[in-house]
């Protein structure tokens, strides 16, 4: 017996990355979510009126932006993707404090749908609600979320 213990090199699996590998499936689901969100927004406008349609539309606007963010950057974590979508939504809302969105809205219905025309502070809350809901759905649907790549405690070192 050797009185001096030897140290064995650790041969466990490499540490998991912070984001799972992006797959074509991720982008396909994000594209489907974008189409479904547009449909939901149009459907909401068709069956509801007043504040339900307005604020529901605001939340869905951010869900759509979130789906587009995931489509463009599928490796983002759900929290970062939702934060990016929320930042974009808030930036568009604050842009409405300037005259540009209202001017563009007069010339283009698409600009009116994308940029709006007038600032409304409660919209900021509903954008956050949409980002939170979208983040939860993204987390639930994210590939590899159930500990993929993790080494069980009983098999470590």
């Amino acid at each position: 017996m050797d009185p001096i213990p030897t140290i064995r090199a650790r041969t466990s699996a490499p540490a998991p990355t912070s984001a799972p590998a992006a797959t074509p499936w991720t982008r396909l689901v994000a594209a489907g979510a974008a189409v479904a969100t547009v449909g939901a927004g149009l459907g909401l406008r068709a069956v509801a009126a007043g504040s339900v349609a307005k604020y529901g539309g605001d939340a869905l606007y951010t869900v759509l932006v979130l789906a587009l963010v995931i489509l463009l950057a599928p490796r983002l974590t759900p929290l970062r993707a939702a934060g990016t979508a929320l930042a974009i939504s808030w930036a568009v809302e604050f842009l409405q404090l300037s005259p540009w969105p209202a001017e563009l809205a007069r010339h283009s219905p698409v600009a009116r749908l994308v940029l709006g025309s007038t600032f409304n502070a409660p919209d900021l809350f509903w954008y956050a609600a949409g980002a939170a809901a979208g983040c939860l759905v993204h987390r639930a649907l994210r590939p590899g979320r159930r500990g993929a790549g993790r080494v069980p405690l009983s098999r470590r070192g």
Side-chain angles (χ1 to χ4, degrees):
M1 267 198 226
D2 190 7
I4 301 173
T6 58
I7 300 173
R8 292 187 297 174
R10 191 172 208 180
T11 58
S12 63
T17 58
S18 61
T23 64
W25 179 251
T26 303
R27 286 198 163 126
L28 183 62
V29 170
V35 171
T37 303
V38 169
L42 293 173
L44 181 64
R45 289 280 181 171
V47 300
S51 60
V52 171
K54 177 172 181 3
Y55 295 128
D58 289 342
L60 287 171
Y61 178 87
T62 301
V63 171
L64 174 61
V65 173
L66 175 58
L68 296 175
V69 166
I70 296 167
L71 188 65
L72 295 174
R75 290 181 181 241
L76 285 178
T77 64
L79 190 59
R80 286 182 188 228
T84 301
L86 181 59
I88 291 168
S89 298
W90 281 356
V92 168
E93 188 68 27
F94 282 113
L95 183 64
Q96 293 170 3
L97 291 170
S98 74
W100 302 314
E103 182 62 30
L104 290 171
R106 275 190 231 128
H107 301 292
S108 168
V110 174
R112 181 160 179 32
L113 288 172
V114 173
L115 299 176
S117 60
T118 55
F119 178 81
N120 185 25
D123 290 352
L124 300 172
F125 169 78
W126 292 104
Y127 294 144
C135 183
L136 291 174
V137 171
H138 184 197
R139 278 187 69 186
L141 297 177
R142 191 171 187 211
R145 73 186 196 286
R146 297 191 190 270
R150 293 185 184 173
V151 178
L153 286 175
S154 60
R155 299 208 179 171
R156 291 185 184 173

